[in-house]
Amino acid sequence: MSDDSSSRIVAELRKWMATAQPGAKLPSTRELVAEHGVSPVTVQKALRALASRGLVESRPGVGTFVRSVRVARPSDFGWQTAALGSPKNSRPTLSTAMRPAPNDVIALHSGYPCRELLPERLVRSAFTRAARSDVVIDRPATAGVPELQAWFATELGTAVPGDVVIFPGSQSGLSAIFRALVGAGRPLLMESPTYWGAIVAAAQVGVQTVPIPSGPDGPDPDQLARAFERTGARAFYAQPNYANPTGVQWSSRLAEEVLDTVRRHGAFLIEDDWARDLGITTDPVPVAARDEDGHVVYLRSLTKTVSPSVRIAGIIARGPARERILADTQSEAVYVSGMLQAVALDVVTQPAWRTYLRDLRKQLAARRDLLAGAVREHVPGAHLDVPAGGLNLWVRLPDTTDLPALVRDCETAGVVVAPGDEWFPAEPTGRFLRLNYAGPNPGAYPQAARLIGEALVS
């Protein structure tokens, strides 16, 4: 009975506090005992529950008061990322984004578009044609099918086919780049937050990650320059267009500043252009298109927009860097499936490919706006910037949020979300969720946001 009574008092006080001014004094314990017909112990339990949620503060000898809420902006602890660096003995586990979800839940956690957003007809037709060709028998060259190399080079506009190495997906490409250009025990600068797969690849290779705080506009060039000087690093991993998870797109000016910094320190920028085909309100311009001296090692994957089953990526690098990357892939995989390369090339060279991308842009815009509007309406205290492309919303929650409990409560209620902690190479600087707006059943987004909001305040 005591538990039920304290919960009832909490609910009643929250209703009263919703209309009270910050700093208003709550009724005394004696008044609450008389009003609710309970013991002082039950009242104190209810007040402790409110205090644990950051809703009230107790002043000994004076009383209990409604806590003032800071609404201007969340705390910014990003500077500590650069000051502290990466923790020792940190080895990330597989991300929540890779978990399968039951069919009866609302899935906002995945890192991939759902089936109805993919060019299924083009992919099926490409597999049929490839199965009738010699690619099912022939062994492809280690660097890749020449026609696919030429396509990647033409897409970037400043490369030649001989600069391209084909990989079985971007994850394999990242591991190869980190091994070939950085090496175990050596420093790698990395945006924070950033793609969890890059964090995992760096840990597997054994490189020493050095986090560079990245805010709403991207990384701070001054912090980047100081990190190069302090660590002696010779590589910086970044996602300049629609970064995963934040959705940030670098300005042209920032791209030039970062590239100048990289050149000045005789280093590489490892540019992960994972969302090249996922622009919504802007068109991405790779930093690699500005580079003439081989400072940018460029990685582009087709997996997100062709099919998760067609794991094909292209790395564009020049000079000895390209030779080291090629040597690494020869030792790891020898070559990439000619069948998958033929399918990818068939899909992206069909006239219908451009039509598909235009339609995809419209669908992503509608889904993004629907989920962003629902989060703003139903999740109290949430902060988000609507991205110009990509697949995700990066949602900042109140600093008092118990994130693991929230994720569990959301899943119990029927919505699967990805905790933002997994995208930080060092300690997270706030409480975040990454929500994918390209998943199945977009009509359920408002319901999902309501469930997240209810779990947040429960």
Side-chain angles (χ1 to χ4, degrees):
M1 179 66 71
S2 176
D3 287 343
D4 291 342
S5 297
S6 65
S7 297
R8 176 168 51 83
I9 296 171
V10 168
E12 291 296 325
L13 286 175
R14 291 192 68 164
K15 289 181 182 178
W16 176 81
M17 292 162 59
T19 59
Q21 294 292 322
K25 185 177 181 180
L26 273 65
S28 67
T29 298
R30 180 176 298 177
E31 291 171 328
L32 291 173
V33 166
E35 178 181 350
H36 295 281
V38 296
S39 70
V41 172
T42 302
V43 169
Q44 289 300 319
K45 183 177 180 180
L47 294 177
R48 285 196 300 271
L50 291 171
S52 69
R53 298 172 189 173
L55 301 176
V56 300
E57 56 184 347
S58 179
R59 302 173 191 171
V62 181
T64 303
F65 299 82
V66 177
R67 170 166 279 176
S68 299
V69 180
R70 295 176 296 171
V71 297
R73 63 177 180 85
S75 300
D76 181 9
F77 301 113
W79 68 270
Q80 293 188 5
T81 296
L84 293 172
S86 289
K88 295 181 179 179
N89 304 319
S90 175
R91 192 174 185 85
T93 57
L94 192 65
S95 170
T96 302
M98 297 300 293
R99 284 183 47 202
N103 293 331
D104 58 348
V105 303
I106 306 170
L108 300 179
H109 69 299
S110 176
Y112 290 85
C114 63
R115 180 172 175 172
E116 60 257 33
L117 292 178
L118 297 174
E120 183 173 346
R121 181 181 60 81
L122 290 178
V123 173
R124 289 186 180 276
S125 297
F127 267 105
T128 299
R129 284 188 287 270
R132 295 171 180 164
S133 71
D134 291 340
V135 298
V136 298
I137 300 296
D138 293 343
R139 181 182 72 84
T142 301
V145 172
E147 294 83 0
L148 187 57
Q149 290 178 288
W151 182 85
F152 276 107
T154 301
E155 283 282 296
L156 183 59
T158 58
V160 298
D163 296 333
V164 181
V165 180
I166 305 300
F167 277 83
S170 62
Q171 194 65 28
S172 297
L174 287 173
S175 295
I177 293 170
F178 294 165
R179 280 193 300 267
L181 304 187
V182 183
R186 299 180 64 185
L188 168 67
L189 309 188
M190 179 178 285
E191 288 180 295
S192 180
T194 193
Y195 170 47
W196 69 268
I199 301 172
V200 170
Q204 290 174 334
V205 171
V207 305
Q208 176 192 354
T209 57
V210 179
I212 306 298
S214 186
D217 300 315
D220 183 336
D222 292 335
Q223 292 272 20
L224 178 64
R226 285 194 290 270
F228 271 123
E229 293 164 2
R230 184 180 73 252
T231 65
R234 288 296 177 264
F236 172 42
Y237 168 80
Q239 296 178 311
N241 286 300
Y242 320 132
N244 179 4
T246 63
V248 168
Q249 183 178 27
W250 294 4
S251 67
S252 177
R253 178 178 178 180
L254 177 59
E256 286 290 354
E257 290 180 342
V258 169
L259 190 52
D260 286 345
T261 300
V262 168
R263 288 169 177 153
R264 192 166 61 251
H265 288 87
F268 294 101
L269 169 63
I270 302 168
E271 179 180 10
D272 187 347
D273 201 10
W274 76 281
R276 176 67 182 276
D277 298 318
L278 301 175
I280 297 177
T281 56
T282 62
D283 294 314
V285 178
V287 179
R290 307 166 184 260
D291 175 46
E292 298 178 352
D293 302 315
H295 283 281
V296 180
V297 175
Y298 177 80
L299 171 64
R300 179 181 178 183
S301 172
L302 296 176
T303 306
K304 295 291 194 297
T305 45
V306 173
S307 167
S309 295
V310 183
R311 293 195 59 78
I312 292 294
I315 290 177
I316 296 179
R318 299 185 178 98
R322 191 252 188 196
E323 300 310 312
R324 289 198 182 188
I325 293 169
L326 181 58
D328 184 272
T329 191
Q330 286 176 321
S331 65
E332 283 289 310
V334 185
Y335 56 83
V336 179
S337 164
M339 181 77 170
L340 293 185
Q341 292 189 67
V343 168
L345 179 64
D346 188 315
V347 171
V348 299
T349 54
Q350 291 292 327
W353 171 249
R354 294 298 172 188
T355 303
Y356 157 70
L357 291 181
R358 286 193 296 270
D359 183 61
L360 177 63
R361 174 180 286 218
K362 295 176 183 177
Q363 293 192 62
L364 289 177
R367 289 163 174 256
R368 176 201 64 182
D369 295 345
L370 177 61
L371 183 56
V375 168
R376 285 171 169 163
E377 179 179 358
H378 296 294
V379 183
H383 294 259
L384 64 96
D385 293 317
V386 176
L391 301 175
N392 311 299
L393 296 181
W394 186 237
V395 181
R396 175 79 183 261
L397 301 173
D399 291 340
T400 55
T401 302
D402 184 339
L403 192 58
L406 174 66
V407 172
R408 289 194 302 269
D409 291 346
C410 285
E411 187 160 356
T412 299
V415 56
V416 183
V417 296
D421 291 5
E422 297 174 0
W423 280 267
F424 286 88
E427 293 84 359
T429 56
R431 301 290 180 263
F432 295 90
L433 292 178
R434 195 200 71 165
L435 306 179
N436 184 337
Y437 50 77
N441 193 15
Y445 290 172
Q447 178 188 356
R450 283 194 295 271
L451 292 173
I452 295 171
E454 291 170 2
L456 184 62
V457 302
S458 65

